[in-house]
Amino acid sequence: MQQIEASELIINNRGAIYHLDATPDEIAENIITVGDPARVAEVSKYFDSIDIERSHREFVTHTGWLGKKRISVVSTGIGTDNIDIVLNELDALVNIDFTTRTIKNELKHLNIIRIGTSGSLQADVPVDSFVASTHGLGIDNLMNFYIHDNNEEEKQLLHSFVTQTQLHSQFSYPYIAGAAMSLMKHFVDGYYQGITVTCPGFYGPQGRVLRLGITNPQLIDRLTDFKFGHHRITNFEMETAAIYGLGKALKHNCVSLSAIVANRIHKNFSDDGSVTVEKLIVKTLEIISEKL
Ligand code: R1P
Ligand code: URA
């Protein structure tokens, strides 16, 4: 079996992978990702015990136990460039043998649950509500670097998005990936469900104007108005499509949950988004401990 070279799979002196600085035994099979490194402790404070605490750059990892479930919570920082690092390194930690530097014969399928914040694109999805993303639709370019597949519905959805919005003429060709049904089925009650658009920035790429003009002032309207059968775009943020795209290609089970902190139609922002995020953390941990 082909060995993966030192420049491709970078393992430090502690036997830990380059960016996450975690070793294979320090990662659980149930993983929560959060953008904000400070949010890791907001999740792990609910664990019965924390065995591992690692911190390197924006990547903070706590692994511990909640009842009989071993869970890791990992911060990704902001953006799909960071998701490229986190998803590839999490996969390497479980599916590549660090001693022989070869891909294992039996592959593990992680449960990866994002708990993040997001902006609503629909008038009826208010601030302080929760969204579970049926699909991630990326306008950030990441998955264009990977060979990956879509099912028939995803292909049609993407085609319809490109035709209806014509946005691809202004930036990279979009990509799409769906949530894992095995996880999504647990996030129905109390969640809006819809397509989440993943953007390569918070300001111009999400239609915000401060001092700079933007090339597509129609961006929000086009996303809000998009329809494909019963599907619509509920929200946008900066990680979901990359998590779904890489997660699916690597055969992990992923779901992205968002606390809505901004509503771009009503032009308002949550008075205290941290309270909403905290509620989402508690609700998610209940599901993990009872259903996964
Ligand atoms: C922007 O403020 C950040 O918030 C959202 C976006 O995806 C982006 O990462 O998620 P997090 O709250 O998880 O960071
Ligand atoms: N995160 C985003 O990316 N956008 C928002 O509007 C709010 C949170």
Side-chain angles (χ1 to χ4, degrees):
M1 175 113 34
Q2 180 113 28
Q3 276 207 341
I4 303 171
E5 302 293 351
S7 60
E8 322 295 299
L9 172 66
I10 303 147
I11 302 171
N12 68 21
N13 291 339
R14 208 174 65 80
I17 198 153
Y18 189 43
H19 296 93
L20 296 187
D21 190 23
T23 58
D25 58 324
E26 291 174 343
I27 294 293
E29 290 183 33
N30 292 304
I31 295 181
I32 293 171
T33 68
V34 295
D36 181 357
R39 203 178 298 148
V40 171
E42 296 300 315
V43 177
S44 67
K45 73 183 183 196
Y46 291 105
F47 292 179
D48 297 318
S49 61
I50 302 172
D51 312 333
I52 307 292
E53 293 188 42
R54 311 292 326 162
S55 176
H56 182 226
R57 297 177 179 242
E58 55 267 72
F59 310 110
V60 174
T61 302
H62 290 181
T63 297
W65 292 87
L66 182 63
K68 292 188 175 138
K69 296 277 156 56
R70 191 165 186 249
I71 306 175
S72 290
V73 51
V74 182
S75 63
T76 63
I78 289 179
T80 58
D81 46 354
N82 280 340
I83 296 302
D84 181 57
I85 287 170
V86 173
L87 266 280
N88 274 295
E89 292 196 1
L90 287 174
D91 180 72
L93 283 165
V94 294
N95 287 327
I96 297 176
D97 183 324
F98 277 23
T99 313
T100 60
R101 292 180 160 277
T102 56
I103 297 169
K104 292 180 182 171
N105 289 329
E106 253 186 55
L107 297 179
K108 279 193 175 150
H109 310 291
L110 299 168
N111 289 324
I112 300 175
I113 301 176
R114 169 185 178 267
I115 300 180
T117 60
S118 179
S120 167
L121 288 162
Q122 298 293 340
D124 64 316
V125 179
V127 293
D128 301 322
S129 65
F130 304 139
V131 170
S133 307
T134 58
H135 299 80
L137 196 154
I139 57 171
D140 61 289
N141 209 24
L142 179 74
M143 287 309 290
N144 293 329
F145 289 85
Y146 291 96
I147 295 166
H148 63 107
D149 230 1
N150 280 126
N151 64 32
E152 208 42 53
E153 189 195 44
E154 289 167 349
K155 280 183 194 157
Q156 286 178 22
L157 217 160
L158 191 58
H159 178 74
S160 182
F161 178 81
V162 166
T163 317
Q164 283 184 46
T165 66
Q166 291 295 313
L167 288 170
H168 63 294
S169 58
Q170 308 223 323
F171 39 74
S172 66
Y173 204 82
Y175 63 89
I176 195 164
M181 282 307 137
S182 61
L183 294 183
M184 191 70 187
K185 66 181 184 201
H186 300 303
F187 300 95
V188 179
D189 288 343
Y191 298 85
Y192 291 89
Q193 294 200 344
I195 302 166
T196 297
V197 168
T198 294
C199 307
F202 184 83
Y203 290 97
Q206 291 184 20
R208 288 187 169 92
V209 177
L210 300 184
R211 282 204 330 113
L212 289 179
I214 53 175
T215 53
N216 197 336
Q218 305 301 316
L219 177 73
I220 290 185
D221 287 346
R222 296 218 178 137
L223 299 179
T224 303
D225 294 345
F226 171 74
K227 278 192 182 51
F228 177 76
H230 65 282
H231 295 285
R232 64 173 181 167
I233 296 167
T234 40
N235 61 313
F236 56 14
E237 45 70 88
M238 299 176 63
E239 292 85 23
T240 296
I243 295 174
Y244 282 10
L246 286 174
K248 210 161 200 188
L250 292 163
K251 300 199 170 12
H252 299 300
N253 307 310
C254 303
V255 73
S256 174
L257 309 172
S258 292
I260 297 298
V261 294
N263 183 295
R264 301 299 299 285
I265 310 305
H266 297 304
K267 301 192 191 299
N268 60 350
F269 199 83
S270 172
D271 291 333
D272 191 353
S274 63
V275 172
T276 312
V277 170
E278 178 96 24
K279 285 185 190 153
L280 184 57
I281 290 169
V282 171
K283 219 167 140 64
T284 307
L285 289 174
E286 273 170 19
I287 297 290
I288 294 176
S289 69
E290 285 166 21
K291 309 274 189 198
L292 301 192

